[in-house]
């Protein structure tokens, strides 16, 4: 248990120095999964014990040979199941990809392997990342390790749950409208959505490609910085990847208090208004109380365009989804309905049987929004809102270093509570979607608890200011004093 | 029938076959003849998570074509997605370009001038799109109707295409052919497309007759078939109009086996393609410097080359235009002239009148003709030096086209050397005179009979007898006969 609770940034050194045996570590990870997975259901595909131990043994040999190197050498990592892994099936939480085994690695997976990480499992998620609770998964809902009756958030609920359950110290999620930050907030872990273009999307199975980023998740800010160091790299295979080198995010944390002048933090009033539960508001204000002072000024700020963010987000996301998910027709890979008929009939039946309800709902609405006569009214207007939001953020960032608010407007809710009410579920994303629309980096860190239910604090920074964002997150983490939390299971 | 107003617009899909790789991935683009589904990767197969990466050479080629077609090149170029479900599509959308909804194709508003000897015709170009080719459906029996199942080969998926769309300025099927021939010649001069490859150039033709509905004929594979399909369609529509029927807007399919158009679907049923921006490809900025650089590197185009042929080789307009209508033919001509400088007009004559005729007669393309420019030059020299007669030259030509042997080799092998020795010809002529006594005596007063006798000598010598010498010998023999010096 002790080894499993170690932060990744310490684990790596302990492994390379020989203080921790990789085989022993991986064995403990496997045991813990065996013990908890039936309760949590965080994993869609677990690599076989023999495969994992063989990889661990090989890595130990490398250490003995003195050939071991890499930022994550021997460190166990979980990967969300919408990130392609060569030879390991990648389902996107969908029946339609139930048996799909990618022939190639996503760029982030290549980078993980290059740094010596051991990929343990593919984590559960809302089907095609469409959801905020991990309930829409074809493989059943994931349970929140802090309260097994409740959802872990979504769509990267499985990745958050394996962290909170103390199974692995690092996980990859993806964030289209809050899918990294929401489960981080619901599980008292840390999740970062990077600037659009900072991390390669090559190999990330698209839901809404103009919005999403792969994001690092961990139990503390430093580990998030470490994982960002590994995955953040220009990639010529992704046309939206931002060229140029990346800073050393870990290094910037080594002296976190080194920020010129006083730090100006804007509390976004629109994010604290209607729809935010009193409990959440209370926890956020208490956390901000702890943070303020000592050169940190917190002031309220209004971004009036944010009230349009949610509808704009859903129009863009669903439109893109209707396009991105068109390729699942059963011809080349994945599930195919067993019926006779022409291609048209087989396509229809394959998609009718292969997609779940929420995915179908979004494809249909997105198809509608893009259709002739409605395109201008919906899609183009949503793009205009997107520009307004970006401009509002730009204005706010002239005055403030970062902006803050709650990550989620409510506490983790009970499984089944909202799944029949799509609008109530969509409202959960009200705090998170604007960062995706604007393409800016945003992080969720633990702010406090109501009983045993976590609340997350969201911090947003200007584009490509991850260094600053992580630095400030580290300061806040220190002041709030919540890190490396593992749910009692 | 009275003349009805015909409006034709073309959509020409041109594969950029000279690119080494596909439009959005690094798969090789020479997919022809390769085992099915072997020239594929996650990107062109549209596997989940894969992303397109624009081949910058394709942009360069498109700019060259746009300049050659006098287009306005957009400075900010965007890609859009066009959605429709079809088994040849790996993503069920095609990455293409769009000129509405904020889209900007690579180029718009150009024109192409078609010159015939008596008039000049301008066909406006509406736009040029860069887009990806879908895969290819393969019908095991060769026919869409009789095949029990369909196979799909994605080797072609992702090949770079230019879609060149004209305004409906074309008025006759012949003009459509001229347009396509000229376009083809331009593409070949730019060295962006080997238009002779199967499926490298595919045309959709839109036609309306006398203001009737717009009929689109899809996927016509050759220039000749475009002309035929349009002629068929005009006839069909005129007949319908005569019967008092109205022409509805529809899409028709060109059946290149039966050489007819057949209905595919009515326009009203056509799908909504739900065009929207391809967010995986950020807008591409085309700078003034980039365009200038390409403009400077532009090779000589057919119009310039035509003028140069007239100027440099003293060829008439007709000869020049025939030669430059096909880049390979023009190249062939120029290479031959290099080896036979004394008379370019003679080279042009042989190539246009004899060489081309034989190629067509043998059902060949310029590509698979075995004869090289040096062979044509050699043939002309053999003729000039009196080694073979013009008649022999005409029999040697088809053989060198098919066999690849040099003219002198053919002449030697087939013992085709010219007979110009007067004594030998005299002996042959005497033999002919004796065999055709009546003709010989007739020839004393009848010119036709003289020609008959010469013809017999030629036949006997398989055309090898020197015509001048033969004529002279026959005349001498006839004089002798008249004067009684010769007894038959």
């Amino acid at each position: 248990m002790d080894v499993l609770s170690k932060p990744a940034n310490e684990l790596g050194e302990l492994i390379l120095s020989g203080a921790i045996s990789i085989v022993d570590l991986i064995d403990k990870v496997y045991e813990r999964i065996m013990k908890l997975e039936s309760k949590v259901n965080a994993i869609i595909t677990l690599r076989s014990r023999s495969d994992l131990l063989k990889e661990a043994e090989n890595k130990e040999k490398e250490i003995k040979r003195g050939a071991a190197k890499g930022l994550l050498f021997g460190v166990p990592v979980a990967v969300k199941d919408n990130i392609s892994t060569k030879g390991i099936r990648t389902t996107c939480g969908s029946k339609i990809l139930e048996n799909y085994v990618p022939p190639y690695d996503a760029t982030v997976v290549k980078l993980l392997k290059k740094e010596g990480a051991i990929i343990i499992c593919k984590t559960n998620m809302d089907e095609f990342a469409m959801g905020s609770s991990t309930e829409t998964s074809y493989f059943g809902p994931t349970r929140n390790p802090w309260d097994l009756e409740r959802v872990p958030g979504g769509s990267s609920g499985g990745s958050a749950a394996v962290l909170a359950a103390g199974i692995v110290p690092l996980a990859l999620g993806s964030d289209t409208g809050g899918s990294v930050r929401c489960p981080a907030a619901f599980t008292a872990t840390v999740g970062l959505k990077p600037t659009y273009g900072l991390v390669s999307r090559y190999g990330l199975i698209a839901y809404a490609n103009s919005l999403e980023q792969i994001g690092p998740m961990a139990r503390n800010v430093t580990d998030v910085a470490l994982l960002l160091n590994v995955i953040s790299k220009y990639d010529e295979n992704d046309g939206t990847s931002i060229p140029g080198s990346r800073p050393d995010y870990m290094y910037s944390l080594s002296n976190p208090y080194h920020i010129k002048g006083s730090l100006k933090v804007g509390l976004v009033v629109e994010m604290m208004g209607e729809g935010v539960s009193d409990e959440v508001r209370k926890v956020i204000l208490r956390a901000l109380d702890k943070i303020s002072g000592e050169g940190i000024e917190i002031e309220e700020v209004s971004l009036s365009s944010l009230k349009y963010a949610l509808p704009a987000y859903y129009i863009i996301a669903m439109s893109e989804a209707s396009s991105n998910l068109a390729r699942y027709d059963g011809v080349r890979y994945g599930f195919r309905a067993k019926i006779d008929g022409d291609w048209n009939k087989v396509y229809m039946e394959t998609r009718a049987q292969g997609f779940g309800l929420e995915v179908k709902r979004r494809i249909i609405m997105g198809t509608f929004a893009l259709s002739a006569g409605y395109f201008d009214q919906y899609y183009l207007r949503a793009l205009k809102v997107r520009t307004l939001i970006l401009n509002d953020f730009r204005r706010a960032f002239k005055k403030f270093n970062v902006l803050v608010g709650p990550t989620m407007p409510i506490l983790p809710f009970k499984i089944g509570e909202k799944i029949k009410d799509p609008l109530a579920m969509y409202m959960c994303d009200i705090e998170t979607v604007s960062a995706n629309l604007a393409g800016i980096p945003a992080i969720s860190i633990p702010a406090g608890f109501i009983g045993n239910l976590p609340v997350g604090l969201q911090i947003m920074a200007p584009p490509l200011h991850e260094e600053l964002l992580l630095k400030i997150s580290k300061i806040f983490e220190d002041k709030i004093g919540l890190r490396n939390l593992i749910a009692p299971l | 029938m009275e003349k009805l107003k015909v409006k034709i617009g073309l959509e020409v899909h041109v594969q950029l076959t000279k690119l080494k790789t596909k439009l959005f991935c690094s798969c090789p683009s020479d997919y022809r003849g390769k085992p099915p589904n072997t020239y594929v990767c996650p990107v062109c197969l549209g596997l989940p998570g894969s992303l397109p990466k624009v081949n910058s050479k394709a942009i360069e080629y498109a700019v060259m074509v746009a300049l050659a077609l006098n287009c306005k090149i957009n400075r900010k170029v965007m890609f859009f997605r066009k959605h429709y479900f079809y088994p040849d599509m790996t993503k069920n959308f095609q990455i293409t370009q769009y000129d509405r909804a904020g889209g900007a194709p690579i180029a718009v508003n150009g024109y192409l001038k078609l010159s015939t000897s008596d008039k000049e015709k301008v066909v406006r170009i509406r736009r040029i799109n860069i887009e990806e080719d879908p895969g290819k459906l393969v019908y095991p029996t060769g026919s869409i109707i009789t095949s029990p199942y369909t196979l799909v080969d994605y080797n072609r998926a992702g090949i770079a295409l230019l879609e060149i769309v004209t305004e409906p300025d074309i008025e006759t099927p012949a003009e459509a052919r001229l347009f396509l021939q000229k376009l083809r010649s331009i593409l070949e001069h730019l060295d962006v497309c080997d238009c002779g490859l199967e499926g490298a150039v595919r045309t959709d033709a839109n036609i309306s007759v006398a203001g009737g509905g717009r009929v689109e004929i899809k996927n016509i594979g050759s220039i000749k078939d475009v002309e035929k399909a349009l002629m068929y369609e005009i006839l069909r529509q005129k007949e319908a109009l005569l019967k008092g029927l109205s022409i509805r807007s529809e899409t028709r399919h060109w059946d290149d086996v039966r050489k007819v158009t057949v209905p595919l679907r009515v326009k009203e049923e056509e799908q909504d393609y739900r065009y929207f921006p391809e967010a995986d490809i950020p807008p591409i900025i085309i700078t003034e410097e980039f365009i200038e650089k390409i403009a400077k590197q532009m090779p000589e185009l057919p119009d310039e080359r035509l003028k140069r042929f007239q100027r440099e080789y003293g060829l008439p307009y007709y000869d020049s235009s025939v030669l430059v209508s096909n880049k390979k033919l023009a190249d062939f001509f120029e290479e031959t002239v290099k080896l036979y400088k004394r008379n370019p007009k003679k080279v042009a004559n042989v190539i246009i009148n004899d060489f081309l005729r034989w190629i067509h007669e043998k059902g060949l393309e310029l590509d698979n003709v075995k004869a090289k420019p040096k062979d044509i030059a050699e043939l002309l020299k053999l003729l000039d030096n009196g080694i073979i007669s013009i008649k022999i030259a005409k029999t040697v030509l088809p053989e060198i086209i098919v066999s690849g042997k040099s003219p002198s080799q053919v002449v030697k092998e087939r013992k085709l050397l010219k007979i110009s020795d007067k004594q030998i010809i005299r002996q042959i002529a005497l033999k002919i005179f004796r065999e055709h006594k009546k003709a010989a005596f007739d020839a004393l007063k009848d010119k036709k009979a003289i020609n008959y006798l010469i013809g017999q000598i030629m036949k006997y010598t398989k055309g090898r007898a020197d015509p001048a010498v033969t004529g002279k010998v026959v005349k001498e023999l006839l004089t002798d006969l008249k004067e009684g010096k010769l007894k038959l």
Side-chain angles (χ1 to χ4, degrees), chain A residues 76-112:
Chain A
V77 176
V79 175
K80 189 177 180 180
D81 210 24
N82 59 352
I83 299 171
S84 304
T85 41
K86 186 176 179 176
I88 305 174
R89 80 172 172 153
T90 300
T91 70
C92 255
S94 181
K95 179 180 177 179
I96 213 154
L97 287 178
E98 191 178 357
N99 296 311
Y100 169 63
V101 179
Y104 74 105
D105 272 330
T107 299
V108 291
V109 171
K110 274 193 191 153
L111 292 169
L112 282 179

Side-chain angles (χ1 to χ4, degrees), chain B residues 29-148:
Chain B
S29 61
D30 60 331
Y31 67 89
R32 288 180 173 80
K34 301 297 186 299
N37 299 310
T38 54
Y39 274 40
V40 290
C41 74
V43 176
C44 56
L45 273 182
L47 290 191
S50 64
L51 296 171
K53 182 170 63 178
V54 179
N55 181 341
S56 57
K57 201 80 186 161
I59 306 287
E60 208 178 302
Y61 281 8
V63 168
M64 284 166 68
V65 174
L67 288 173
L69 297 179
N70 310 295
C71 291
K72 174 183 169 279
I73 294 163
N74 278 316
R75 294 299 185 268
K76 188 179 165 188
V77 174
M78 292 174 72
F79 283 93
F80 267 57
R81 292 181 179 181
K82 175 185 182 180
H83 300 87
Y84 60 98
F85 284 91
Y86 207 67
D88 63 5
M89 304 275 288
T90 57
K91 304 180 292 291
N92 288 315
F93 61 76
Q94 180 192 30
I95 303 178
T96 177
Q97 300 189 309
Y98 196 46
D99 50 0
R100 275 169 278 169
I106 184 90
V108 293
N109 298 340
Y111 63 87
L112 182 62
K113 273 187 195 159
L114 306 180
S115 349
T116 54
S117 48
D118 55 330
K119 64 165 186 169
E120 206 163 63
K121 162 96 190 179
V122 175
V123 176
R124 289 170 296 157
I125 308 290
R126 185 180 294 168
R127 63 181 153 81
I128 302 177
N129 281 350
I130 307 173
E131 61 186 30
E132 55 179 342
D133 214 350
K136 202 174 170 187
L137 297 183
V138 181
Y139 304 105
T141 67
S143 152
I144 189 168
I145 295 164
T146 56
S147 294

Side-chain angles (χ1 to χ4, degrees), chain A residues 113 304 389 474:
Chain A
K113 289 180 176 175
S304 59
I389 289 171
K474 181 77 169 25

